[in-house]
Amino acid sequence: MTNIVLFGKPGAGKGTQADFLKIKYNLFHISTGDLFRFNISNKTSLGNLAKAYIDNGDLVPDKVTIEMLKECVEANFKSEGFIFDGFPRTISQAKVLDQFLQKKKISISAMISLEVDEEILIKRLIDRGKISGRTDDMDESKVRNRFREYNMKTSILQDYYKKQNKFHRISGIGSIEKINSRLTRLIDSFL
Ligand code: ADP
């Protein structure tokens, strides 16, 4: 199984690139952000619980996110591998993911970081908010809070995967197709 963690700040293009990679490598794409938004629009109890955190640009508590992630992996275990997009976002999520995959006799193949400067990202997110209507994209103070959360809790995951020799970075600036081919070149080098 090929299991890729796509990593990067909010707006770095993880979802866009995951849509390409899942077809190219026949992987199942799990986006925790999309799962939360699906639950929010369907007004499930999980959605109701997550909504306030997401609207403020805060991370949803680990316990809730981890449960949701595990269920999604279990339900799609027959696939050839996974793209994890937006998960893990904290050290404890990364540890749980490793243990969970180990029990299932699989592991993370690589973590790929899409790197884009913060000022470019803030502009991308505010522009996206005008089109998508995502509440967490519409207000600059919430967007900045997401970056704070990322810098405090998520960016440290680079070291976690570096220690396992699984960390890779590519530039997330340029056309979507250019970034597609940077990713393909990298993934083909370790497949
Ligand atoms: P982006 O990467 O653009 O910030 P996502 O769609 O991945 O957006 O996530 C949107 C929001 O969903 C996050 O700001 C956070 O509140 C919540 N969320 C998504 N994934 C996680 C996670 N792994 N742990 C905690 N909260 C999460």
Side-chain angles (χ1 to χ4, degrees), residues 77-103:
F77 202 68
K78 287 208 169 76
S79 66
E80 287 181 31
F82 293 96
I83 303 174
F84 295 99
D85 159 10
F87 189 97
R89 255 180 161 98
T90 63
I91 289 284
S92 65
Q93 290 180 12
K95 286 186 179 158
V96 170
L97 181 62
D98 274 351
Q99 288 159 5
F100 176 61
L101 296 182
Q102 201 179 2
K103 273 199 204 133

Side-chain angles (χ1 to χ4, degrees), residues 51-63:
K51 188 173 182 339
Y53 295 99
I54 293 183
D55 282 350
N56 285 328
D58 292 331
L59 291 186
V60 178
D62 279 343
K63 199 170 170 297

Side-chain angles (χ1 to χ4, degrees), residues 87-162:
F87 189 97
R89 255 180 161 98
T90 63
I91 289 284
S92 65
Q93 290 180 12
K95 286 186 179 158
V96 170
L97 181 62
D98 274 351
Q99 288 159 5
F100 176 61
L101 296 182
Q102 201 179 2
K103 273 199 204 133
K104 303 187 123 339
K105 311 240 181 298
I106 58 170
S107 60
I108 294 297
S109 321
M111 186 241 223
I112 305 175
S113 171
L114 283 175
E115 316 243 315
V116 184
D117 301 334
E118 236 169 74
E119 290 310 311
I120 296 180
L121 291 175
I122 289 173
K123 193 178 169 307
R124 276 192 196 173
L125 290 172
I126 302 286
D127 286 347
R128 183 172 78 181
K130 287 179 194 149
I131 302 162
S132 73
R134 265 181 63 169
T135 46
D136 57 345
D137 282 347
M138 290 198 268
D139 174 336
E140 185 161 341
S141 70
K142 290 176 185 173
V143 168
R144 291 203 182 266
N145 188 42
R146 278 154 67 200
F147 285 99
R148 250 192 317 276
E149 286 280 80
Y150 178 94
N151 291 328
M152 269 186 331
K153 299 174 184 166
T154 308
S155 80
I156 192 173
L157 285 176
Q158 301 191 14
D159 296 333
Y160 181 86
Y161 287 99
K162 267 181 200 157

